[in-house]
Amino acid sequence: MSVSKALGPLLALATLLPSIAHADPKDDARRHFAAGLQAAQGENFEVALQRFLAAQQAFPHPATLYNIAKSYTDLDDLPNALTYYRLFRDASPQAAGEVDPIIAVLEARLGQSVPVAGAGPVRVVGSSMAGPTAEELARLQGIAAELEALTAALQRRGEEVEVVPSPDATGPDGGPTAVPELPDLDDGGFLADAYERVVVTASRVGQDPLDSPSTVSVLTADDILLSGVTNVPDLLRRVAGVDAMSLTSAHTDVSIRGFNQKLSNKVLVLVDGRSTYMDFLGTSMWSSFPIQLEEIERIEVIRGPGSAVYGANAVTGVINIITRTPGEGQQVVRVDGGAPGLGRASGVTTGRIGGTAYRLSAGYEQLGRWAKETDLSGGPDSPSVETYFDNDDQALRVLRANARLDRTISPDVAVSVRGGLSESTSEFYPVGALPNYGLLMRHSYLRGDLFLKGIHLRSFWNSNSGETGPWVRYLDDGGSLDAQFANNVVDVEVETPLRFDTGSVKHTLNVGAGYRYKGVRFTYLNRGFDNLIVEQHGKGFINEQLSVGPFGAVASLRVDLHPLLPITETLSPRGALLLRVLPKTSLRATAGSAYRAPNSVESYMNLRLPTPVDGVFVTDLGNRDLRPERINTFELGIHDESTFLHTADVVVYLNTVSDLIFLDDVTRGFAAFDPVGNGIEVGTTGWVNLPPTYTGVGVEADVELFPTDGVDLFANVNLSQITETVGNESQRDGATSTIKANAGASYRTPFRTDLNLTMHYLSPQEWRLRSFDPTTLEIVADPQQVPARLLASARIGVRPFPNEDLEIAGTLWNIAALITGNGSIEHPIGQPVSGRAFGSISYRF
Amino acid sequence: MTHRTSWLLPLLAAACSYDAPVHPDPPFDAELNALEGTVVFVGDDIGPAYVTVYDADNPGPPIGTGAPVTFSSVSPSSFGGGAGLNSAPFGVTQLIDGDYLVNALVDLDDNFSPFSDVLAGATCNDWIGTHVADLQTALPAVVALNSGEAKRDVTVLVSQRMTTNRPVFAFKDSPEISLSASARAVIPLTYTIEASAASAVFNEDISIDHGPACERDLDSDACGPVLACRPCLSGPDVNPCDNGITAWVVDADNDGEADPYPGELQAAAGIFNVFPRVFIEYIGEPLGEFRFEGQMFPERWVSENFPMAQEIGIEVLTGGSAAAIAPIGVPTKMQQISITVTPIFRHYHADGASAVDANGPYDLLDLRENASPEDVPTGRWRATLVSHTGQTWNVPNDIGAEGLPTLNGFDGNTQDEALILVP
């Protein structure tokens, strides 16, 4: 029997049971909602009703409740219409003024009284219906059962019936939920706006991806859940153009469109719009984020320069992790355990107390090391080395806690306060030739947002402190590279997103300004840990987006006041032209420029770098005359959502990157003994702008398919090449894979079982690592190979009980490594990436 | 136990019982060894100390010609003690398996640098010493290291004060040696070197590039351009020693006769144990490297020359008695000595078949017997003198290479001259 014949009945069964199966429920809901609207326009209200009910069951939305009510009305089923109008009103209290009259009319017709809205969760049961006839009773019993199922679905989806604000309404930077706009009820028709895709990161305002001036990929909470990943970087591997490179189990460097490196520094990572960039190192430490995976609503990945919107360091892209709005979703408790050394426990609770919505989370995570340098327990009695942490088998151990409170005081005033902290021990690779390090890090943040009559005032404080040093060192090394650090960033920003029309031109204008304080104390910097280095920055930006019919244009400009850079070097413009060639298909041409400011290490370093000879060191000096790294990008893209069965992106881009910052050759000197450095300084090195210009060209094609309920498919491919040019000489920079491809499938079966398979492929890389040659005192670039790699992962999740509160899941990550026992490296000096096999138990209530 | 919690335990057990695999090819070689111990310094003045580690099979001067495999430094501030006996801890790391000799130098005049051949040694007034098995016998001891171990309690006794300067020299005339003539000669050809007053100049002023005395600080303008800033210099004042080449015809048994060279072949050839030792090495075209038994070696052409054959009245390679022209058994300052070129060369290369030593396998080419002058590279050769204290000097050297200006009457250009071998 052929495979297709064997699978045929199963596939047929699957298509027959679509109503309770969802891969990404929102995509299913979107498709049903669109089909319902189409049926309603054809006055086929029975079909419309069934579609709207299916949409609501897949992913609740107030507009769907309204359309269900409207469908019942058109079918002359007034009791059910009344029920759903009431549900709509409770879900959208701001619409009460307009929907209450309808309810009043229906109640009068049916002889019912008006319940008190907003008194608590609406429990829709059959007994609440009064005076039914026998026929109506049977009908209502069916409705009751349906609504019971609806309620269960709502609970399962983490949505209380009483409050159903659209997750899409989350503020541009994760601020308090924007007050939803009142639905237009005047026309008496169906609401057309629900499940719209909204992205907020490209322009700092919510917009349709079709109108985005940059290429945007969105990863949803369901992507996180179904993929089984335990950290965000591993999820990012599936995004076209994104390169996630793990050197240790605890530390993954993420880049976009190439230029990845140890301590990747060209992608700006935000959490709800708050920068996580550690300016003193020039990177983001993903494991220190105090949020739990379970509180992430979605992750937006902007490919292309973002300095015009976010300032420095958004060179090749922006990743914005957007958390769930407080009050939304369910309580979640989850425990994971498995190999290698993987342990995880997390809890998230959310709800409302009076008018204040809250979300609290806490968790613990640990990961085993993929490899260790030596087995100290099996070595000589008196080993020459020791490890930074006593536990030489653990790459990560982190405790996290996070809290957020939102309160909408009035339709014009809302506040949000949030904070979090984490304490972690982890293993990472620093820049240059330094070996793997141990890091004890304490991270905390505090943030406040005020929305006042269209003005958004935001402030946050980020704090990072801790200790670090080589993971393995000789006992008598004396800890010469051990370091302490303390970094504080205070950022205040105000912006005024305005929407207005001038004639037929629609404008969205966003103007803002801000101030940032940076204070850093770091052993590696000038005068050591006791010296507080302070920088004060200013910023101003304007972003104008206009549309006339099918045409759109975006113009953005940002300027930063940087203490070490002339203002002309921080100017970051961006412009885009958009054309809606079809209602759901847009063409885009974007040109932009971005920069990376030298970080504290590059500007202020004063470190004696050990050499293989104990008595000799090289002094590494910061350079305050560095120019910022600069990227200029031009890209053409097409974004297509012309059916509800797919989304597709194709982008062609051209990047030119200049002034990359790296260590220079050693300037040799006849130095004598340095009592401070306890050795002989053989020479000095420093940070310089490299002369080459890098030209990157590439094409990214990305498609997502939602063929039927419960099934999500995605595939993308990225072809790219980066060329290094100095004068008239050019050569390929092979550190970026020429081909990167991802594919995956998710299927939430009708049997309370979810399946997921994901694959990532990267073609071989050739790195030319710059390292110090102590014999020649020169920085040399040795070509080193990273073979092609295929990383496949699978997950199965089962909810054994009908209420689906409890889920038991098993995940195999990097299956090839699990089978062979040999992982691939992702960087020439990185550790082989091990497989992970672990189980999870989660309980949602 | 409930049904639900029964799932938890295996998960948690798997997470907690993890033992990471050892990296198959770790970037950090944890198999390297370390040694640590104490530098014991007999003296009142303190300077930075340098602990040098030699391959026991390739010892440094004056025993051999080896260079240190590594070294570490000890800050003066880490010395403690008093009353003429000070001690400080030291550590040396990243040593491959093997046997080692450990020496130390206390650099009182603060002019030691391993990266300049005119600074990489003890100068007058510095103190030197070696690792000893115990302080009573003060005999050099070999340290064996294996399998990533750390050997502790290595004591280096620094008790010998340098009372002479390095054998700074220049060629008296630009010497050109004919290999053909040397091969045919019954008495090999000679060249002459002479000592120079430059020794004192270098002792005092060689650190001319140290720059202003300041702590490196990016916020200070005191050092001028930051990349030119040098560390602080400090050190006690020392008296310059007399200059000259210390010649010593060894008479260890005090029988009034020169002792034979401590090598059977040389002794059989009638060579006496005379300091300084003299070596010449080809420095013409780059010769490349070769791998032997897992280690990389430079290809080299080396020959040992012999000093004072004329002065002590012997015929090198033909035997004879030492005359009383030079005092026997008494180190004597000389301003000029002759060097006799022996037509025997060692060619270290991958296919060397004669023997193997610490520099790798080599062929022995004797122009009188099994080789012709065409077999030996001609052009520039460097001469190195090693005094009985282990102090060395070679020409050409960094002074010539750096083109330093004439200092206190010393012509730096003489330090760029080389011994020229012609066919």
Side-chain angles (χ1 to χ4, degrees):
Chain A
M1 180 185 293
S2 69
V3 174
S4 60
K5 285 184 178 178
L7 292 179
L10 290 176
L11 294 174
L13 180 62
T15 56
L16 288 173
L17 296 167
S19 61
I20 58 171
H22 309 282
D24 192 324
K26 205 170 190 178
D27 291 321
D28 290 340
R30 182 180 298 113
R31 189 175 65 251
H32 286 300
F33 190 85
L37 282 178
Q38 194 172 22
Q41 289 167 0
E43 298 188 351
N44 189 344
F45 298 117
E46 279 288 356
V47 172
L49 175 62
Q50 294 307 316
R51 288 295 195 170
F52 288 136
L53 285 170
Q56 183 68 4
Q57 190 164 5
F59 200 97
H61 194 287
T64 313
L65 291 171
Y66 179 85
N67 285 359
I68 293 171
K70 181 71 171 62
S71 298
Y72 275 125
T73 303
D74 290 335
L75 291 169
D76 205 24
D77 184 347
L78 299 187
N80 276 323
L82 176 58
T83 299
Y84 278 95
Y85 277 128
R86 285 172 173 168
L87 289 173
F88 170 71
R89 183 189 57 187
D90 289 338
S92 300
Q94 70 278 9
E98 302 194 44
V99 77
D100 276 351
I102 301 174
I103 293 173
V105 169
L106 291 176
E107 286 171 340
R109 187 177 300 173
L110 296 171
Q112 295 182 20
S113 59
V114 180
V116 178
V122 175
R123 288 289 174 182
V124 183
V125 293
S127 60
S128 67
M129 306 298 170
T133 63
E135 183 179 331
E136 287 171 334
L137 183 59
R139 188 184 188 85
L140 286 173
Q141 284 173 340
I143 294 169
E146 179 185 58
L147 292 177
E148 287 279 33
L150 169 64
T151 304
L154 291 175
Q155 290 175 336
R156 191 182 74 235
R157 287 282 144 230
E159 303 293 336
E160 287 286 355
V161 178
E162 62 168 342
V163 179
V164 194
S166 164
D168 290 341
T170 303
D173 56 1
T177 304
V179 178
E181 294 182 9
L182 295 179
D184 182 5
L185 302 174
D186 292 340
D187 59 7
F190 289 82
L191 294 177
D193 295 331
Y195 311 111
E196 293 297 313
R197 290 189 174 89
V198 175
V199 293
V200 300
T201 309
S203 299
R204 300 176 72 115
V205 294
Q207 61 187 175
D208 191 317
L210 290 159
D211 299 326
S212 170
S214 301
T215 312
V216 186
S217 295
V218 179
L219 303 168
T220 66
D222 261 53
D223 291 330
I224 297 173
L225 176 67
L226 295 181
S227 66
V229 297
T230 57
N231 58 69
V232 171
D234 281 340
L235 185 70
L236 293 170
R237 291 175 187 271
R238 67 166 57 191
V239 179
V242 171
D243 179 22
M245 175 182 75
S246 295
L247 280 84
T248 80
S249 174
H251 184 214
T252 302
D253 289 300
V254 176
S255 74
I256 295 175
R257 293 176 178 172
F259 300 101
N260 209 352
Q261 64 174 61
K262 294 188 295 178
L263 295 186
S264 170
N265 57 20
K266 294 176 185 58
V267 174
L268 183 64
V269 182
L270 312 171
V271 175
D272 291 330
R274 175 181 60 88
S275 173
T276 65
Y277 200 80
M278 295 164 58
D279 299 86
F280 71 107
L281 278 182
T283 196
S284 290
M285 286 288 180
W286 297 88
S287 58
S288 71
F289 295 177
I291 59 172
Q292 303 296 324
L293 283 177
E294 290 75 18
E295 59 188 315
I296 295 175
E297 162 65 27
R298 68 183 188 277
I299 301 169
E300 295 185 3
V301 181
I302 305 297
R303 285 172 267 157
S307 289
V309 181
Y310 294 99
N313 312 322
V315 180
T316 57
V318 179
I319 296 170
N320 191 8
I321 300 171
I322 298 169
T323 60
R324 290 183 184 279
T325 302
E328 285 187 18
Q330 295 174 287
Q331 334 297 319
V332 183
V333 178
R334 175 173 160 179
V335 176
D336 306 79
L342 186 152
R344 190 172 174 275
S346 63
V348 180
T349 182
T350 183
R352 289 179 177 271
I353 301 174
T356 302
Y358 66 88
R359 189 187 71 232
L360 308 171
S361 71
Y364 168 81
E365 182 182 3
Q366 69 173 49
L367 290 171
R369 295 184 72 197
W370 285 332
K372 55 187 177 186
E373 290 75 7
T374 185
D375 187 356
L376 291 177
S377 62
D381 293 338
S382 176
S384 60
V385 296
E386 62 182 357
T387 55
Y388 193 76
F389 297 120
D390 291 340
N391 190 338
D392 193 26
D393 297 308
Q394 204 167 64
L396 173 70
R397 184 167 54 187
V398 55
L399 280 167
R400 304 183 176 98
N402 194 43
R404 175 173 166 181
L405 303 174
D406 285 6
R407 184 175 181 86
T408 300
I409 297 170
S410 74
D412 289 332
V413 182
V415 295
S416 174
V417 178
R418 65 194 94 176
L421 53 90
S422 70
E423 180 168 300
S424 59
T425 60
S426 63
E427 179 189 20
F428 77 104
Y429 277 83
V431 294
L434 294 173
N436 49 331
Y437 267 42
L439 172 67
L440 166 63
M441 181 163 163
R442 289 173 287 273
H443 167 76
S444 58
Y445 82 94
L446 194 60
R447 171 175 168 171
D449 292 72
L450 171 65
F451 292 83
L452 181 64
K453 293 184 180 298
I455 298 173
H456 179 194
L457 176 64
R458 185 204 65 192
S459 61
F460 68 79
W461 164 64
N462 285 350
S463 172
N464 298 293
S465 62
E467 302 164 2
T468 188
W471 188 279
V472 181
R473 66 282 202 64
Y474 290 95
L475 289 170
D476 41 21
D477 170 66
S480 61
L481 284 173
D482 286 357
Q484 291 177 274
F485 62 92
N487 168 228
N488 288 280
V489 174
V490 176
D491 187 285
V492 180
E493 188 174 275
V494 61
E495 63 179 318
T496 58
L498 304 172
R499 296 179 194 270
F500 60 93
D501 297 343
T502 54
S504 59
V505 182
K506 298 180 183 300
H507 299 265
T508 302
L509 178 63
N510 194 20
V511 180
Y515 163 82
R516 179 174 289 189
Y517 162 93
K518 298 177 187 174
V520 60
R521 294 192 297 140
F522 185 17
T523 307
Y524 286 5
L525 304 187
N526 196 40
R527 299 184 185 177
F529 181 73
D530 294 334
N531 183 33
L532 175 64
I533 296 173
V534 172
E535 285 188 357
Q536 304 195 57
H537 300 246
K539 55 188 168 183
F541 57 88
I542 183 169
N543 184 65
E544 158 75 339
Q545 183 146 357
L546 55 85
S547 61
V548 185
F551 299 100
V554 178
S556 311
L557 181 66
R558 171 158 172 153
V559 62
D560 293 287
L561 301 176
H562 189 290
L564 300 181
L565 301 176
I567 196 169
T568 52
E569 292 186 349
T570 70
L571 275 173
S572 302
R574 179 183 65 179
L577 296 173
L578 300 105
L579 172 63
R580 291 270 187 127
V581 293
L582 293 170
K584 289 292 185 179
T585 304
S586 67
L587 291 174
R588 174 175 55 80
T590 303
S593 182
Y595 74 101
R596 183 181 76 82
N599 58 46
S600 301
V601 165
E602 292 158 348
S603 297
Y604 303 105
M605 196 167 200
N606 191 344
L607 172 68
R608 293 169 178 84
L609 287 168
T611 69
V613 177
D614 292 299
V616 177
F617 62 84
V618 174
T619 300
D620 183 352
L621 293 171
N623 182 353
R624 299 184 203 177
D625 296 324
L626 290 169
R627 297 182 299 278
E629 294 181 347
R630 174 64 64 177
I631 185 171
N632 295 308
T633 292
F634 177 73
E635 65 179 55
L636 294 171
I638 181 169
H639 181 78
D640 179 55
E641 301 178 6
S642 54
T643 77
F644 285 93
L645 300 176
H646 83 287
T647 65
D649 276 296
V650 177
V651 184
V652 180
Y653 65 85
L654 169 67
N655 287 336
T656 57
V657 178
S658 56
D659 286 330
L660 290 184
I661 298 171
F662 275 99
L663 279 175
D664 196 7
D665 287 343
V666 174
T667 301
R668 180 174 170 174
F670 288 106
F673 182 82
D674 175 8
V676 179
N678 189 26
I680 290 177
E681 181 191 69
V682 65
T684 56
T685 183
W687 298 86
V688 295
N689 293 106
L690 293 180
T693 297
Y694 297 84
T695 304
V697 294
V699 57
E700 297 158 349
D702 186 359
V703 63
E704 291 183 71
L705 300 174
F706 325 108
T708 185
D709 281 4
V711 177
D712 274 4
L713 305 171
F714 79 90
N716 58 64
V717 63
N718 171 207
L719 307 176
S720 67
Q721 178 159 307
I722 297 175
T723 304
E724 175 186 299
T725 303
V726 182
N728 295 325
E729 295 186 6
S730 296
Q731 62 176 331
R732 179 174 169 263
D733 179 7
T736 300
S737 292
T738 306
I739 304 171
K740 179 176 181 291
N742 304 293
S746 301
Y747 181 35
R748 191 186 289 266
T749 73
F751 316 110
R752 301 194 297 268
T753 300
D754 304 336
L755 304 172
N756 181 270
L757 179 65
T758 310
M759 289 183 289
H760 314 288
Y761 168 78
L762 285 89
S763 61
Q765 300 168 348
E766 180 180 278
W767 289 72
R768 281 180 290 129
L769 294 184
R770 294 167 59 82
S771 61
F772 171 64
D773 182 345
T775 61
T776 63
L777 306 182
E778 292 177 349
I779 299 292
V780 295
D782 294 327
Q784 299 188 46
Q785 311 300 319
V786 173
R789 54 192 187 271
L790 176 68
L791 195 153
S793 304
R795 177 187 183 271
I796 181 170
V798 178
R799 292 176 293 282
F801 304 114
N803 63 9
E804 304 197 31
D805 288 347
L806 181 72
E807 183 177 71
I808 301 169
T811 301
L812 302 177
W813 185 83
N814 196 3
I815 294 171
L818 285 170
I819 295 172
T820 64
N822 296 318
S824 300
I825 57 170
E826 299 191 329
H827 185 276
I829 66 168
Q831 298 172 359
V833 178
S834 296
R836 290 179 183 143
F838 60 95
S840 310
I841 298 175
S842 61
Y843 185 63
R844 296 172 186 266
F845 54 100
Chain B
M1 181 183 299
T2 67
H3 173 73
R4 292 179 183 180
T5 55
S6 66
W7 282 86
L8 271 172
L9 295 181
L11 300 182
L12 297 177
C16 297
S17 61
Y18 178 64
D19 184 16
V22 176
H23 198 300
D25 184 20
F28 180 96
D29 189 352
E31 296 303 312
L32 294 177
N33 307 280
L35 58 84
E36 61 185 53
T38 307
V39 175
V40 178
F41 172 54
V42 181
D44 292 324
D45 295 328
I46 300 295
Y50 301 93
V51 178
T52 50
V53 180
Y54 290 85
D55 183 343
D57 295 330
N58 193 22
I63 303 173
T65 60
V69 295
T70 188
F71 75 94
S72 71
S73 53
V74 180
S75 173
S77 61
S78 61
F79 278 96
L85 187 63
N86 300 280
S87 64
F90 76 92
V92 185
T93 64
Q94 306 188 57
L95 293 161
I96 62 174
D97 289 359
D99 297 337
Y100 296 99
L101 297 170
V102 186
N103 296 342
L105 176 157
V106 175
D107 182 27
L108 286 187
D109 47 12
D110 213 353
N111 59 3
F112 174 86
S113 175
F115 300 104
S116 168
D117 53 6
V118 296
L119 295 175
T123 53
C124 182
N125 289 311
D126 290 342
W127 292 71
I128 62 172
T130 190
H131 164 52
V132 294
D134 62 70
L135 296 178
Q136 299 296 322
T137 62
L139 293 174
V142 173
V143 181
L145 294 171
N146 291 291
S147 306
E149 67 177 326
K151 191 79 77 180
R152 299 186 172 83
D153 302 328
V154 175
T155 301
V156 182
L157 179 62
V158 178
S159 58
Q160 181 183 358
R161 182 168 179 263
M162 293 289 101
T163 58
T164 63
N165 261 319
R166 293 162 296 176
V168 177
F169 70 92
F171 296 113
K172 187 172 188 300
D173 300 305
S174 295
E176 186 174 283
I177 304 295
S178 167
L179 289 170
S180 301
S182 177
R184 291 192 303 272
V186 176
I187 298 177
L189 301 180
T190 62
Y191 60 95
T192 303
I193 62 176
E194 64 181 3
S196 169
S199 182
V201 175
F202 290 127
N203 277 343
E204 293 175 349
D205 296 332
I206 195 64
S207 56
I208 54 173
D209 197 33
H210 285 158
C214 61
E215 172 61 19
R216 193 183 295 288
D217 188 341
L218 298 183
D219 294 329
S220 169
D221 294 330
C223 297
V226 290
L227 289 175
C229 181
R230 302 297 173 198
C232 297
L233 290 178
S234 62
D237 294 332
V238 293
N239 295 320
C241 299
D242 290 339
N243 300 297
I245 298 170
T246 303
W248 183 26
V249 181
V250 180
D251 178 18
D253 54 8
N254 293 315
D255 63 356
E257 299 290 332
D259 293 347
Y261 191 92
E264 291 184 8
L265 288 176
Q266 293 88 341
I271 297 174
F272 294 103
N273 189 7
V274 179
F275 283 97
R277 306 274 196 249
V278 183
F279 303 89
I280 63 172
E281 179 167 4
Y282 176 69
I283 56 169
E285 297 298 320
L287 296 177
E289 296 180 322
F290 64 91
R291 181 176 292 277
F292 178 71
E293 293 184 346
Q295 279 188 272
M296 293 301 295
F297 294 95
E299 183 180 353
R300 302 172 71 186
W301 283 89
V302 179
S303 176
E304 182 168 7
N305 292 180
F306 296 95
M308 300 205 306
Q310 294 176 344
E311 289 86 338
I312 62 178
I314 62 168
E315 295 176 353
V316 173
L317 303 178
T318 60
S321 299
I325 297 174
I328 294 175
V330 180
T332 303
K333 284 282 173 48
M334 302 184 73
Q335 294 302 314
Q336 180 174 307
I337 61 174
S338 65
I339 307 295
T340 301
V341 176
T342 56
I344 304 171
F345 297 87
R346 288 186 179 187
H347 179 202
Y348 292 94
H349 64 126
D351 300 323
S354 297
V356 177
D357 67 12
N359 296 306
Y362 64 87
D363 287 328
L364 197 61
L365 289 87
D366 190 334
L367 300 190
R368 301 167 305 163
E369 298 178 358
N370 64 347
S372 68
E374 288 75 25
D375 296 331
V376 178
T378 55
R380 289 167 63 84
W381 288 63
R382 178 178 59 224
T384 301
L385 265 64
V386 180
S387 70
H388 69 284
T389 60
Q391 293 166 290
T392 64
W393 192 262
N394 50 257
V395 176
N397 56 41
D398 278 348
I399 297 174
E402 296 290 330
L404 294 180
T406 299
L407 299 171
N408 295 354
F410 180 79
D411 184 0
N413 292 329
T414 63
Q415 301 298 290
D416 194 33
E417 292 184 357
L419 192 64
I420 305 298
L421 268 59
V422 298

